[in-house]
């Protein structure tokens, strides 16, 4: 009898041990092959474009305002983050009041308070602040173009001042990551040291990094939103800028998730049982143009470039993984309106170039080999080049890595006057980033994202009216006018809207692909 009791006890213990072991690995390790050429920085706002935000920024850190990434059937919108609520001061439309979330702690144990918000804005935007980081200023400045200052009302309330009435400010502040002042002070503002042990409030904790090779993160079990504590045991990020390398890595099991698989590999991936996931995506693939010097200062040349493109050929090149792009935003966008569409018309393109006296019309585009959201930049740019040259353009492609192209983008056309246009894909998930930053003269680079220094008095007036309009319906009508005006003036060369393809191992479960540049990895698990 005693022997039977001991045997049953041993079986029970072994069973519990087995369950514990299974539970420990039930979440598994999610290994991502990124399109980035290097690992994103961990000192706050990441580099490597919005892929850096997707995999590092919103995982290690939070912003005051986050994005709802829980649904796939409608466009993502903002939601409370480290702030639980915000409202415009009824007596001063250049003053936003934010109520901060209570009970949140940084991963180093310090409490999150209003003082931390003030410190972080100094870190990102105030050269006079002791914690100011020029590299972070370069990452954040395009989102703080209207920011004038921030003050503390009490330990859990802050007031943001803007240079102009800014109805879109909650969207803009969503891109500013909050890092721990405690950890920064401990590192004595040595950002290299800070990067080795970063501290945020996000759903993941930094574990370790092999420079230029891999970064590992683990769940933050004490995350303030317990519903978003990661389901996997570990997240591993590996930079893989070559699409063929990413595909081979997924097929061999080196990774179990890849961004932007090569279109010609889709059939092979499907036959191997991989999940191919796409969705409508607020992302355009366009060229920003030089409005100071060169052929694109002439509207006829800009229109000719748009008429020259057979976007159906581009869609075929990408195996259908795009929408033909005729405007800054896709037709499903609420403020799309009825823009002028530049459908493929090579005869009209040739006539416009002849009328403009630009034959051959010599232009130079700065392009990248890879990068965040750049889709398949080398073959896509070669196709654009051939189609434009067929109507009378002479196109030179200056090819560089992604971060080098971002340096040109941030510096602006004054520093690079001989570049006719830059091929930098852009997110369009909020009105400011979709439209205003391309054409508002107060966003001229290097202050903002108007790389080519576009300026039009009527457009500036319309942007000012949008910022000053706090009625959602009226603001929507103004945004629609702006999108239509941008098309009429051919402010970009419109090419494609991305469908954000990614390929996942059949062992990956729980992912919901949001209609956003950002994605929530916390519900994902990986089976053995």
């Amino acid at each position: 009898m005693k022997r039977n009791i001991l045997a049953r006890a041993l079986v029970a213990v072994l069973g519990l041990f087995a369950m514990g072991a299974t539970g420990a690995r039930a979440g598994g390790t999610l290994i991502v092959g990124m399109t980035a050429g290097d690992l994103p920085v961990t000192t706050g706002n990441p580099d490597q474009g919005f892929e850096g935000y997707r995999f590092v920024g919103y995982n290690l850190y939070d912003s005051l305002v986050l994005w709802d990434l829980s649904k796939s059937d409608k466009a993502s919108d903002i939601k409370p983050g480290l702030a639980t609520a915000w409202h415009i001061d009824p007596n001063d439309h250049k003053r936003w009041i934010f109520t901060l979330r209570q009970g949140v702690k940084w991963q180093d144990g310090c409490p999150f308070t209003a003082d931390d918000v003030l410190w972080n804005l100094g870190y990102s935007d105030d050269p006079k602040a002791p914690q100011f980081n020029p590299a972070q200023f370069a990452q954040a400045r395009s989102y703080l173009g209207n920011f004038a200052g921030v003050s503390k009302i009490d330990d859990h309330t802050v007031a943001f001042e803007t240079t102009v009435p800014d109805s879109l400010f909650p969207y803009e502040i969503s891109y500013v990551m909050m890092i721990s002042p405690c950890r920064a002070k401990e590192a004595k503002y040595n950002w290299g040291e800070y990067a080795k042990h970063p501290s945020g409030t996000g759903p993941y904790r930094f574990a370790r990094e092999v420079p230029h090779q891999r970064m590992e993160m683990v769940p933050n079990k004490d995350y303030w939103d317990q519903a978003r504590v990661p389901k996997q045991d570990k997240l591993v990020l590996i930079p893989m800028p070559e699409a063929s390398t990413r595909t081979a890595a997924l097929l061999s099991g080196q990774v179990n998730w890849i961004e932007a698989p090569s279109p010609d590999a889709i059939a092979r991936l499907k036959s191997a049982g991989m999940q191919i996931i796409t969705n409508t995506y607020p992302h355009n693939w366009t060229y920003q143009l030089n409005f100071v010097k060169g052929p694109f200062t002439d509207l006829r040349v800009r229109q000719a470039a748009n008429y020259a493109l057979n976007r159906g050929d581009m869609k075929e090149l990408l195996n259908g993984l795009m929408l033909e792009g005729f405007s800054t935003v896709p037709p499903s966008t609420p403020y799309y309106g009825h823009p002028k569409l530049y459908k493929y018309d090579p005869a009209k393109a040739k006539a416009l170039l002849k009328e403009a006296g630009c034959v051959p019309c010599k232009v130079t585009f700065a392009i990248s080999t890879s990068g965040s959201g750049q889709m398949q930049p080398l073959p896509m740019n070669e196709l654009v080049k051939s189609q434009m040259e067929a109507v009378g353009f002479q196109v030179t492609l200056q090819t560089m890595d992604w971060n080098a192209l971002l340096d040109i983008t941030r510096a602006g056309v004054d520093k690079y006057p001989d570049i006719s246009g830059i091929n930098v894909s852009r997110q369009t998930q909020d009105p400011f980033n979709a439209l205003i930053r391309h054409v508002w003269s107060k966003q001229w680079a290097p202050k903002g994202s108007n790389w080519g220094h576009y300026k039009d008095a009527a457009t500036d007036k319309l942007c000012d009216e949008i910022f000053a309009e706090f009625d959602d319906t009226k603001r929507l009508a103004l945004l629609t006018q702006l999108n239509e005006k941008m098309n009429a003036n051919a402010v970009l060369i419109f090419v494609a809207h991305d469908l954000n393809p990614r390929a996942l191992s059949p062992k990956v479960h729980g992912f919901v692909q949001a209609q956003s540049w950002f994605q929530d990895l916390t519900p994902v698990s990986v089976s053995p």
Side-chain angles (χ1 to χ4, degrees), residues 258-484:
I258 63 173
E259 300 286 290
S262 176
D264 58 12
I266 295 297
R268 184 182 176 200
L269 289 167
K270 285 182 176 179
S271 68
M274 302 301 169
Q275 307 173 63
I276 306 299
I277 302 177
T278 63
N279 202 349
T280 303
Y281 190 39
H283 167 217
N284 64 20
W285 198 91
T286 61
Y287 296 81
Q288 284 183 266
L289 305 175
N290 185 334
F291 291 95
V292 176
K293 175 187 176 183
F296 290 127
T297 58
D298 190 319
L299 172 62
R300 295 166 294 186
V301 176
R302 302 196 300 271
Q303 290 178 329
N306 276 287
Y307 282 124
L309 301 186
N310 185 340
R311 296 163 182 85
D313 286 351
M314 185 68 75
K315 189 171 184 177
E316 184 176 347
L317 171 73
L318 296 175
N319 202 14
L321 296 176
M322 62 162 270
L323 298 177
E324 295 184 30
F326 296 101
S327 185
T328 310
V329 294
S332 58
T333 306
Y335 42 85
Y336 181 76
H338 300 281
K340 177 182 178 66
L341 302 183
Y342 298 97
K343 297 293 182 75
Y344 178 52
D345 192 335
K348 184 174 286 187
K350 291 177 182 178
L352 284 165
L353 288 183
K354 184 177 180 180
E355 183 182 329
C358 195
V359 181
C361 203
K362 298 180 180 180
V363 296
T364 298
F365 292 138
I367 71 169
S368 67
T369 55
S370 64
S372 171
Q374 289 294 87
M375 301 177 72
Q376 309 297 329
L378 295 181
M380 291 174 74
N381 272 287
E382 288 293 343
L383 181 55
V384 168
K385 171 182 166 72
S386 67
Q387 291 182 346
M388 288 180 62
E389 289 187 339
V391 303
F393 284 94
Q394 184 175 318
V395 180
T396 298
L397 299 177
Q398 287 190 7
T399 306
M400 60 199 73
D401 71 31
W402 176 231
N403 275 351
L405 181 57
L406 288 183
D407 288 342
I408 290 175
T409 303
R410 295 188 188 102
V413 71
D414 282 351
K415 190 171 180 179
Y416 297 95
D418 295 323
I419 293 177
S420 310
I422 57 172
N423 173 226
V424 177
S425 59
R426 294 289 194 179
Q427 64 95 346
T428 61
Q429 64 188 30
D430 68 85
F432 175 80
N433 285 289
L435 305 178
I436 293 171
R437 66 169 169 173
H438 293 293
V439 293
W440 196 31
S441 65
K442 293 178 183 178
Q443 274 283 298
W444 276 10
K447 181 179 180 181
S449 298
N450 185 344
W451 175 81
H453 289 192
Y454 179 82
K455 184 175 177 63
D456 172 71
T459 300
D460 276 346
K461 181 175 182 295
L462 187 52
C463 291
D464 291 340
E465 290 173 354
I466 290 167
F467 281 124
E469 184 53 74
F470 290 86
D471 180 281
D472 292 345
T473 301
K474 293 178 181 178
R475 187 171 63 248
L476 182 63
L478 294 172
L479 288 165
T480 303
Q481 289 181 40
L482 180 58
N483 189 55
E484 293 170 344

Side-chain angles (χ1 to χ4, degrees), residues 220-235:
N220 177 12
K221 299 293 187 181
D222 299 319
Y223 188 50
W224 55 265
D225 184 353
Q226 282 291 298
R228 291 190 62 238
V229 172
K231 300 296 188 292
Q232 73 268 186
D233 299 319
K234 184 188 295 184
L235 171 63

Side-chain angles (χ1 to χ4, degrees), residues 118-119 122-123 126-134 184-185 188-191:
L118 273 61
W119 185 95
Y123 173 65
D126 184 2
K128 297 178 182 178
Q131 71 272 26
F132 177 69
N133 184 343
K185 292 170 184 174
K188 299 179 181 178
Y189 298 156
N190 180 325
W191 303 118

Side-chain angles (χ1 to χ4, degrees), residues 16-186:
L16 288 171
F17 177 79
M19 288 175 62
T22 301
R25 66 173 187 268
T29 299
L30 180 62
I31 309 173
V32 177
M34 303 187 296
T35 69
D38 202 350
L39 294 169
V41 299
T42 59
T43 48
N45 281 30
D47 61 352
Q48 302 298 332
F50 265 23
E51 192 174 29
Y53 271 82
R54 177 160 64 243
F55 289 118
V56 173
Y58 284 111
N59 284 340
L60 292 179
Y61 301 110
D62 290 311
S63 48
L64 295 181
V65 178
L66 294 175
W67 290 84
D68 185 352
L69 306 173
S70 62
K71 304 176 183 65
S72 62
D73 58 349
K74 65 178 183 178
S76 299
D77 207 347
I78 52 177
K79 69 172 187 176
L82 290 177
T84 57
W86 49 86
H87 66 273
I88 195 68
D89 186 335
N91 299 314
D92 183 355
H93 282 190
K94 293 195 290 184
R95 188 170 187 261
W96 279 93
I97 311 298
F98 279 67
T99 302
L100 304 182
R101 190 176 297 277
Q102 299 189 36
V104 176
K105 289 190 175 182
W106 299 100
Q107 292 165 5
D108 53 38
C110 292
F112 167 71
T113 68
D115 290 324
D116 297 339
V117 176
L118 273 61
W119 185 95
N120 269 274
L121 269 296
Y123 173 65
S124 299
D125 195 66
D126 184 2
K128 297 178 182 178
Q131 71 272 26
F132 177 69
N133 184 343
Q136 277 298 294
F137 174 68
Q139 299 296 337
R141 64 185 172 189
S142 63
Y143 309 116
L144 295 172
N146 292 338
F147 170 72
V150 60
S151 57
K152 174 181 174 181
I153 295 177
D154 58 42
D155 283 346
H156 301 290
T157 314
V158 296
F160 285 94
E161 290 79 36
T162 57
T163 57
V164 296
D166 187 353
S167 62
L168 303 176
F169 183 77
Y171 286 99
E172 296 153 30
I173 202 66
S174 74
Y175 302 109
V176 178
M177 304 288 103
M178 297 282 151
I179 79 168
S180 169
C182 285
R183 171 65 189 124
K185 292 170 184 174
E186 181 184 51

Side-chain angles (χ1 to χ4, degrees), residues 498-513:
D498 197 359
L499 290 179
N500 197 20
R502 45 177 52 95
L504 281 58
S505 162
K507 296 181 179 181
V508 174
H509 310 286
F511 176 56
V512 175
Q513 180 148 305

